């Protein structure tokens, strides 16, 4: 999967949020403080299309852009690349870094505990099945 620059990732997230959108609609969805020219958005969308992240369909006089890849697939691949590049392929150091460097709300902590409990239960179930075989 091709690399994504910061502007490309930002525009791609907007495409994901909108589902389908013209260059103008994507430009309008950018935060006001970004002050990116319409032509720049068009260039970024062209690059995203060339890389296979978005597709475009001519509707009337304007192209309508939509995602060519599922967000979960892109995110999963990019997070895996990050883990491999900076954390030696191990997810735990990344999770620990995020927990220490970001303010986790009580809700975040509760959800994390639920996820860990689910993983622990899945792992226990797998081990029991393996020992039965």
């Amino acid at each position: 999967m091709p690399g994504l620059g910061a502007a490309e990732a930002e525009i791609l997230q907007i495409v994901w949020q909108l589902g389908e959108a013209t260059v103008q609609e994507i430009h309008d969805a950018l935060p006001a403080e970004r002050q990116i020219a319409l032509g720049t958005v068009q260039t970024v969308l062209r690059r995203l299309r060339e890389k296979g992240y978005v597709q475009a369909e001519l509707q009337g006089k304007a192209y309508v852009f939509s995602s060519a890849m599922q967000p979960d697939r892109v995110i999963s691949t990019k997070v895996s690349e990050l883990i491999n590049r900076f954390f030696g392929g191990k997810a735990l150091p990344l999770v620990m870094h995020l927990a220490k460097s970001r303010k986790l709300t009580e809700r975040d902590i509760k959800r994390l505990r639920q996820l860990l409990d689910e993983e622990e239960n899945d792992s226990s179930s797998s081990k029991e099945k393996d020992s039965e075989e």
Side-chain angles (χ1 to χ4, degrees):
M1 187 173 294
L4 276 174
E8 292 170 333
E10 182 179 22
I11 299 291
L12 183 56
Q13 286 180 16
I14 292 171
V15 171
W16 290 340
Q17 289 168 2
L18 298 176
E20 292 187 335
T22 63
V23 175
Q24 184 67 57
E25 291 167 335
I26 293 165
H27 181 264
D28 292 346
L30 285 164
E33 66 272 7
R34 288 290 282 128
Q35 297 183 2
I36 296 177
L38 188 65
T40 302
V41 173
Q42 196 167 14
T43 299
V44 171
L45 284 164
R46 181 182 46 78
R47 288 196 316 244
L48 287 169
R49 187 176 179 191
E50 289 169 356
K51 291 180 177 185
Y53 288 103
V54 299
Q55 54 197 7
E57 181 182 325
L58 187 60
Q59 292 183 5
K61 294 182 180 182
Y63 279 98
V64 175
F65 292 86
S66 61
S67 180
M69 294 184 197
Q70 291 295 320
D72 285 346
R73 178 176 170 223
V74 175
I75 292 167
S76 179
T77 299
K78 294 304 171 186
V79 169
S80 292
E81 289 173 5
L82 175 77
I83 290 170
N84 288 333
R85 187 175 305 134
F86 293 105
F87 299 97
K90 298 184 185 338
L92 183 60
L94 172 60
V95 173
M96 291 181 70
H97 171 77
L98 292 172
K100 288 179 182 178
S101 67
R102 305 282 177 162
K103 297 279 187 204
L104 295 179
T105 65
E106 287 296 321
R107 184 176 178 200
D108 293 337
I109 293 168
K110 183 178 179 181
R111 179 64 186 119
L112 198 52
R113 281 192 180 118
Q114 289 173 340
L115 181 63
L116 291 171
D117 288 344
E118 290 168 13
E119 287 298 315
E120 188 173 58
N121 290 337
D122 288 349
S123 178
S124 296
S125 296
S126 295
K127 287 179 184 175
E128 288 174 12
K129 287 181 185 176
D130 289 344
S131 65
E132 291 174 3
E133 292 177 357

